[in-house]
Amino acid sequence: DSGVTQTPKHLITATGQRVTLRCSPRSGDLSVYWYQQSLDQGLQFLIQYYNGEERAKGNILERFSAQQFPDLHSELNLSSLELGDSALYFCASSARQFYGYTFGSGTRLTVV
Amino acid sequence: QKEVEQDPGPLSVPEGAIVSLNCTYSNSAFQYFMWYRQYSRKGPELLMYTYSSGNKEDGRFTAQVDKSSKYISLFIRDSQPSDSATYLCAMSAFSGGSNYKLTFGKGTLLTVNP
């Protein structure tokens, strides 16, 4: 157990739907990062939050949004889902930003 | 040109072999260099990190950084079947404020055969 908890582990949904992925960071870590991993693209950075504030954005689509709550857990919202959104979504947390991200086990999203 | 290039493999070796995994990069601003290991259906886990050119050893693993050539390597000695996983290199650069941007390679799938 890495200390980063992601739920749900698996999600199957239809195109056009909206889903919410949840992440609880490791105790004491203020930064939360969301990544998308697909076979052809590898790990793609989506967005970072630090202590409730958005800190950095990567290749996040406009249909996707995220937030970090006062208790530091974070949610990634994916809407108007397309087949191409099927991927593994990872949350990571860190105390230091330059190295040492701790990843959760991921949520496997399948859009049918 | 991509910022980080990693040979995707797959790489298949016999147990006990020495494994060499490599990444090249183009961004001179990268300061910290990491290797992550990812088992199937699991999240990546940090294996090693370094910030200077040269070698860093941890048990059977050695991370090597050559900043002049923009090249990093991970060597695994006496490889074991339990080393079978995808190995991802990662590098971070200061991106303003107090932020660092972490960029991953696509990963190399390694299989160690008993």
Side-chain angles (χ1 to χ4, degrees):
Chain A
D1 181 8
S2 68
V4 177
T5 304
Q6 287 188 251
T7 56
K9 290 192 185 306
H10 302 278
L11 204 47
I12 301 175
T13 190
T15 53
Q17 294 299 303
R18 173 190 168 95
V19 297
T20 297
L21 312 184
R22 183 187 166 100
C23 169
S24 293
R26 199 177 54 165
S27 178
D29 288 352
L30 299 180
S31 283
V32 168
Y33 311 81
W34 286 98
Y35 282 84
Q36 179 191 59
Q37 187 177 43
S38 59
L39 278 174
D40 56 339
Q41 292 294 322
L43 263 175
Q44 296 290 308
F45 170 64
L46 296 178
I47 197 164
Q48 177 202 352
Y49 279 83
Y50 178 82
N51 203 19
E53 292 186 4
E54 181 184 305
R55 271 291 177 93
K57 263 187 175 180
N59 303 320
I60 188 165
L61 299 171
E62 285 192 12
R63 301 183 284 108
F64 297 0
S65 65
Q67 54 185 328
Q68 186 179 29
F69 295 88
D71 66 353
L72 301 179
H73 90 271
S74 178
E75 293 181 355
L76 179 66
N77 301 296
L78 315 176
S79 61
S80 302
L81 285 167
E82 301 174 359
L83 295 178
D85 297 327
S86 296
L88 267 169
Y89 290 85
F90 286 105
C91 168
S93 72
S94 73
R96 296 186 182 88
Q97 291 192 58
F98 45 86
Y99 77 91
Y101 292 19
T102 302
F103 283 81
S105 295
T107 293
R108 182 173 294 275
L109 174 66
T110 303
V111 183
V112 298
Chain B
Q1 182 185 9
K2 289 196 173 186
E3 280 191 296
V4 179
E5 300 271 8
Q6 182 174 6
D7 184 352
L11 194 58
S12 181
V13 301
E15 183 175 353
I18 296 174
V19 176
S20 171
L21 304 165
N22 310 297
C23 286
T24 58
Y25 62 96
S26 58
N27 186 353
S28 300
F30 285 133
Q31 298 173 287
Y32 296 89
F33 304 89
M34 289 140 273
W35 286 95
Y36 283 79
R37 177 175 62 195
Q38 185 176 19
Y39 290 114
S40 180
R41 300 183 180 277
K42 298 288 187 184
E45 60 175 314
L46 182 65
L47 204 54
M48 296 188 71
Y49 80 92
T50 185
Y51 54 86
S52 57
S53 281
N55 294 348
K56 181 177 181 179
E57 196 172 309
D58 184 2
R60 296 184 295 110
F61 298 88
T62 299
Q64 184 178 79
V65 174
D66 183 345
K67 289 188 178 181
S68 62
S69 300
K70 296 189 178 67
Y71 190 90
I72 71 170
S73 298
L74 178 70
F75 298 98
I76 307 174
R77 288 184 300 281
D78 187 25
S79 56
Q80 302 296 308
S82 58
D83 295 328
S84 298
T86 296
Y87 290 81
L88 302 107
C89 62
M91 310 175 188
S92 69
F94 182 64
S95 61
S98 57
N99 282 355
Y100 283 79
K101 178 186 172 187
L102 187 64
T103 304
F104 283 86
K106 282 195 175 183
T108 300
L109 177 61
L110 170 69
T111 301
V112 180
N113 302 297

